[in-house]
């Protein structure tokens, strides 16, 4: 497509001359010189695709302002053991020299309702070595917010996301080869919900297809049943030859392999099998009359204070 010839061109932030933004920077409530704009394909409200400058906070730029403003502690440090494990098990080599400091980077994408019920794709990065890894306010750094309704699609390919990933990949590779204020970074994990992974990897095999896994031949049907847990299960015999429509932009990351695609605990456990297990336990308690006079509303009311106390304990742990 001719429109893609100019994709990925960066220009300086248009916010630098904005009085309100300048005031926030002077008050130390915002970082200066951190926002870039990238020309990406966006679908307008009438369904027409055109290039539009989109604001991005690229990983190496965010790292620069963090380090220049005295926030080194939030990024942590990759130990020698960490990089040995990454090299041995995932083929990711530590950037820089043996004496240089380097951190592992996680790229993460997820869709959700953020403003006024509108679905956005939120793309961010974090340091795998941060001591604040579970604290989103200190350890998660936004790259881009994209309204899902504005995606520019070409068949099954998300042109909007692919264009942004091309620029993000360049940023991460730059940080891999060139230190930022004495610190190197290398992508060690790609995570997100299944929809994000489907789009960022340009997958043919998705949650909506019978053959759903890009790492095995398992199916939902009895063709190659993924529920077969025997040692001789057919889905274990081979892996899909080429489960993507085209080579995605993330393939250009330094040291990238499918082994870096990580399991997201939020979606797989807390919003997945963990929630299913808890619900199943409640159903069993209800059906077996474990508590006298137990009805569904009564049981939920009984356990609600307990669940709330467990939630408060977890978030304050």
């Amino acid at each position: 497509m001719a429109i893609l010839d100019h994709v990925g061109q960066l220009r300086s932030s248009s916010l630098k001359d904005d009085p309100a933004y300048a005031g926030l920077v002077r008050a130390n409530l915002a970082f200066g010189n951190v926002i870039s704009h990238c020309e990406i394909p966006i679908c307008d409200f009438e369904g027409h695709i055109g290039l539009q400058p989109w604001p991005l906070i690229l990983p190496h730029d965010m790292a620069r302002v963090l380090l220049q403003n005295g926030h080194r502690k939030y990024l942590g440090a990759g130990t020698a053991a960490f990089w040995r494990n990454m090299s041995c098990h995932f083929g990711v080599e530590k950037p820089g020299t043996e004496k240089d400091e380097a951190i592992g980077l996680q790229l993460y994408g997820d869709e959700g309702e953020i403003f006024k019920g509108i679905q956005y794709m939120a793309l961010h990065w974090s340091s795998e070595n941060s001591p604040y890894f579970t604290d989103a306010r200190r350890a998660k750094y936004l790259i881009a917010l994209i309204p899902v309704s504005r995606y520019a699609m070409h068949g099954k390919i998300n042109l909007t996301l692919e264009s942004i990933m091309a620029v993000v990949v360049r940023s991460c590779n730059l940080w891999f080869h060139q230190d930022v204020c004495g610190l190197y970074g290398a992508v060690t994990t790609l995570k997100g919900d299944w929809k994000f992974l489907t789009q960022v990897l340009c997958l043919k095999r998705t949650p909506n297809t019978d053959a759903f896994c890009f790492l095995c031949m398992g199916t939902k049907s009895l063709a190659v049943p993924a529920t077969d847990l025997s040692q001789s299960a057919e889905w274990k015999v081979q892996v899909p030859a080429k489960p993507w429509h085209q080579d995605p932009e993330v393939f250009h990351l330094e040291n990238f392999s499918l082994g870096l695609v990580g399991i997201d605990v939020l979606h797989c456990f807390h919003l997945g099998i963990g929630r299913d297990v808890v619900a199943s336990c409640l159903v069993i308690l209800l059906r077996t009359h474990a508590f006298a006079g137990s009805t569904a509303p009564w049981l939920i009311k009984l356990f609600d204070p307990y669940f709330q106390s467990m939630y408060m304990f977890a978030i304050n742990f």
Side-chain angles (χ1 to χ4, degrees):
M1 298 177 67
I3 196 172
L4 298 184
D5 294 342
H6 304 286
V7 162
Q9 294 186 358
L10 291 173
R11 63 179 178 83
S12 299
S13 170
S14 61
L15 287 176
K16 64 180 180 180
D17 300 320
D18 184 273
Y21 179 68
L24 290 172
V25 172
R26 287 195 300 271
N28 292 323
L29 296 175
F31 290 134
N33 302 318
V34 70
I35 300 176
S36 301
H37 281 74
C38 173
E39 299 283 344
I40 64 171
I42 287 289
C43 186
D44 65 21
F45 295 107
E46 296 180 353
H48 303 127
I49 297 177
L51 288 178
Q52 183 173 327
W54 204 262
L56 303 175
I57 305 176
L58 297 174
H60 78 283
D61 283 332
M62 187 64 190
R64 171 177 51 79
V65 296
L66 284 171
L67 294 168
Q68 289 176 347
N69 287 274
H71 301 300
R72 174 68 183 86
K73 66 178 182 179
Y74 295 117
L75 297 178
T79 63
F82 172 82
W83 288 112
R84 280 197 302 270
N85 288 335
M86 292 307 305
S87 175
C88 178
H89 300 293
F90 301 99
V92 177
E93 300 301 327
K94 175 180 177 289
T97 67
E98 184 177 346
K99 295 182 179 180
D100 287 320
E101 286 191 316
I103 58 173
L105 309 177
Q106 178 186 116
L107 293 179
Y108 186 94
D110 195 5
E111 290 184 5
E113 294 182 6
I114 299 179
F115 302 115
K116 299 179 179 179
I118 301 174
Q119 287 277 336
Y120 282 82
M121 166 66 76
L123 181 65
H124 68 250
W125 69 275
S126 57
S127 167
E128 296 252 79
N129 309 110
S130 172
Y132 304 94
F133 189 76
T134 58
D135 187 340
R137 291 174 295 181
R138 291 182 173 90
K140 311 295 182 186
Y141 308 110
L142 184 68
I143 298 173
L145 274 179
I146 316 156
V148 172
S149 61
R150 305 291 298 278
Y151 283 160
M153 302 296 296
H154 182 57
K156 298 291 186 179
I157 306 300
N158 188 329
L159 299 178
T160 304
L161 184 57
E162 278 293 276
S163 301
I164 287 178
M165 289 306 301
V167 182
V168 173
V169 166
R170 291 205 299 267
S171 171
C172 293
N173 286 347
L174 177 63
W175 195 359
F176 182 91
H177 291 288
Q178 182 178 323
D179 70 278
V180 175
C181 300
L183 181 68
Y184 286 87
V187 175
T188 51
T189 309
L190 178 68
K191 286 185 178 181
D193 65 353
W194 207 339
K195 187 173 183 181
F196 170 73
L197 294 179
T198 295
Q199 295 180 92
V200 81
L201 294 172
C202 302
L203 293 176
K204 297 177 183 177
R205 305 165 74 91
T206 76
N208 299 320
T209 59
D210 184 44
F212 59 91
C213 182
F214 63 95
L215 294 176
C216 75
M217 301 298 289
T219 63
K220 301 175 188 176
S221 69
L222 296 179
V224 187
T227 52
D228 182 358
L229 302 182
S230 65
Q231 291 294 326
S232 59
E234 189 176 352
W235 59 266
K236 297 181 180 180
V237 175
Q238 57 182 333
V239 297
K242 190 176 181 182
W244 39 81
H245 295 282
Q246 66 178 36
D247 289 353
E249 290 295 335
V250 291
F251 279 16
H252 298 112
L253 279 170
E254 292 290 344
N255 293 320
F256 183 80
S257 71
L258 289 180
L260 298 189
V261 180
I263 296 174
D264 180 40
V265 175
L266 171 65
H267 290 93
C268 290
F269 183 77
H270 295 294
L271 298 178
I273 58 174
R275 186 170 61 177
D276 292 342
V277 169
V278 171
S280 298
C281 291
L282 290 176
V283 169
I284 292 172
L285 289 173
L286 182 63
R287 289 180 175 175
T288 57
H289 301 286
F291 300 94
S294 56
T295 62
W298 182 88
L299 190 62
I300 292 172
K301 185 177 181 180
L302 174 69
F303 277 94
D304 191 53
Y306 171 74
F307 290 144
Q308 288 189 22
S309 65
M310 288 298 293
Y311 170 75
M312 295 304 298
F313 173 79
I315 63 175
N316 291 304
F317 181 72

